[in-house]
Amino acid sequence: MKKLIYIALLSVPLVTMGQTLDRTKAPAPAKAPVIQVANPVQFTLPNGLKVFVVKNTKLPRVTATLALDIDGFAEGDIAGVADMSGQLMKRGTATKSKAVLDEAVEFLGGNLSTSSQSASASSLKSNFPKLFELMAEVVLHPAFNSDELEKVRKQSLSGLESSKDDANAISGNVLKKLVYGATHPFGEMTTSATVKKVTVSDVKTFYAKYWKPNIGFLVFVGDIEPATAKLLAEKNFGSWQKGEAVAQNFPKPAVLNKPIVAIVDRPASVQSVVAIASTVEIGPGSPNVIPGSVMNNILGGGFSGRLFANLREKHGFTYGAYSSLNPNRQIGFFQAGASVRNEKTDSSIQELLSEINIIRNEKVGDTELSRMKNYLAGGFARSLENPATIANFALNVARYKLPADYYQNYLTNLAAVNSTKVQEVAKLILNPSQMYIVVVGNAKQIAKGLEKYGTVKYYDIEGNETAAPQEPKVTINFTPQALMDKVVQGYGGKEAIEKIKDLELKGTASLMGQNLDVAQTRVLPGNATMTMSMGGMVMSKQALVNGNYSVAQQGQEAPITPEVKESLEESTFIVPEMMYLQKGYQLKIVGAEKVEGKDAIDVEITTPSGKVSHRFYDAITYLLLKTSVTQEVPGRGSVTQQQFYKSYKNMEGLNVASEQVLDLGQIKLNINFTSIKLNQGLKATDLK
């Protein structure tokens, strides 16, 4: 009976529903809800330190973060002192050495970190009071030990040295110096020279000047009662004396009336880093922040942004192109850019500017706008799952004097953004005529044609204006055969080279902070091995011994292709140039260029199998300075590998490069041979 009734109900025509529901149209969006954001418990200590407590008992952990209400630091000729001071704070206190402090933190199973304007501690709830006490000791009684300063200085200098080879780091430094100005706190550049000037006295002065409780915010997040947090704050930070805060009224950077194309010549670059940027008048909580976020995310906020779709998906110029918009109460910052193939630098700038102009001059479509607002709304909703978000909201409201209901009304204000408002904001803050276009790359390959985008100027890696790079002054009036003869002579001459029966080089290679042992051995005629190992474990090995070819990576044998055979055979020669014309290689002198400041002759080498590479020889000594080979890698496109040869040493009449640098773009392998031995009487059987 029930079944019959059920069937009867299914057979009833849905007349009423059919009259009211049109399935060809999407339902109208509901009104954006007002979010109920929990308010942290707040109180202020007598010394002015503002405290926020967000209780969350999901995990038995507590995190405390102390942050100073500071936008930036004017460091002058000791730029870097802020960062170095932040590092020094956790390297010992008045009563504890760094070793003792580190051991105490480790014993508690916690984490303790410091920076130029913050300190943070995190641990299990049971250990947190003791860890928080250590954090307070670090903040209030730092030792600022001179020995520790030297260690920090050494690390800073090492980092700066590495950044000299990082095109993205160079671009960021030069861009900010140009956009903000060299003397603006946001534009000051930390260099080796400024770091070397920092003294313990400078560090102490910096600390005394900026670290004040009355400009501090202390935030507790985790399994902690507000009353407990208050007791901990009063006990550990109540004695901190308030002081006069440094004024944070920075001068407004100069605004361009015509774009400037700033080229940083980096001849070793196989791709260029392009960045287009300007300051923007947009502060936290201003009416344009939310529409600006929508606009920027449509333009280049991620994989779905227009820049990504244009430069990567449509044209294949790059792996990714993005933009960012950063509000700041002093002065905001907009940037768009990508890392692109050298030959596509001009086209990439054109497409970046084109997309900026399109979003300024054309309204975005409803579908694109709706999709982006939904994405941002979803991200906002997900962020509320993290208790630290609640603390950050309260912190922002207090720090930037936002309306108390700013975040409660976020979704409502986001929903109100329409295409007209997006275009208005784009026109207001994106002005291509006021933007710097910074390009870091091989000027010889990228500079031509860029003058149509603005006034072209050249800068060094520290953002100092310099002259345009000079073309190599090389007179090439000889044949490839004659050049090879000069190269052989540069190595020491045919007679000296032929006296070498075996050659062994041993040293170390530095790769991303890791050290490898490197060994190259040649036993003439026709035998050679090269190994890289770490801790006694062989990571890679290439060998040609008694006619047997092998290449292995971490114990896995690689296939021996004709190209691999040629490479291994070439490695068995002390001076490969002696065999090029004998083995059917094709040589062509294609021009000249600068290699690390030296005039070099560019020779194109084509092997019998058809592999093409370039070798660059010093135009004066004819010694090899660089090799370069470009090949297609599935999924990555064209990849160029460069190897530099430096610090030649004369060993028994033979000139040998004691330093080599293998440049794979984002990865660099620096090899230093500390042992070079010749004619030890080695046999092929000695090669394992």
Side-chain angles (χ1 to χ4, degrees), residues 319-477:
Y319 295 125
Y322 310 95
S323 65
S324 61
L325 177 63
N326 300 307
N328 186 283
R329 59 185 171 187
Q330 297 293 333
I331 187 71
F333 188 77
F334 169 81
Q335 178 177 342
S339 295
V340 303
R341 304 201 310 272
N342 280 344
E343 67 273 18
K344 298 302 181 181
T345 302
D346 186 340
S347 301
S348 297
I349 294 174
Q350 179 177 313
E351 294 303 324
L352 287 167
L353 291 173
S354 174
E355 292 294 349
I356 290 172
N357 280 313
I358 288 172
I359 205 165
R360 292 181 77 246
N361 299 321
E362 300 177 14
K363 290 184 178 180
V364 301
D366 291 340
T367 300
E368 187 178 24
L369 177 61
S370 177
R371 184 173 63 245
M372 183 52 64
K373 291 199 298 184
N374 289 339
Y375 170 77
L376 293 175
F380 179 81
R382 287 190 300 273
S383 74
L384 296 176
E385 298 173 5
N386 185 349
T389 299
I390 308 302
N392 287 332
F393 286 172
L395 191 60
N396 290 341
V397 168
R399 183 176 184 184
Y400 301 119
K401 297 178 173 56
L402 304 180
D405 59 355
Y406 181 82
Y407 291 102
Q408 282 87 339
N409 292 325
Y410 174 82
L411 291 182
T412 301
N413 292 330
L414 176 63
V417 175
N418 55 33
S419 58
T420 299
K421 186 60 180 176
V422 169
Q423 186 180 16
E424 288 176 356
V425 171
K427 283 187 174 183
L428 180 66
I429 65 179
L430 303 182
N431 189 341
S433 67
Q434 297 177 346
M435 292 183 175
Y436 281 92
I437 303 171
V438 174
V439 187
V440 180
N442 187 330
K444 179 181 178 181
Q445 299 178 15
I446 65 176
K448 186 177 180 180
L450 299 189
E451 63 278 355
K452 61 178 171 287
Y453 301 115
T455 303
V456 174
K457 295 184 179 182
Y458 288 85
Y459 296 84
D460 63 20
I461 63 174
E462 293 185 352
N464 302 308
E465 190 170 354
T466 186
Q470 298 296 312
E471 287 292 324
K473 297 178 180 179
V474 179
T475 301
I476 305 173
N477 55 5

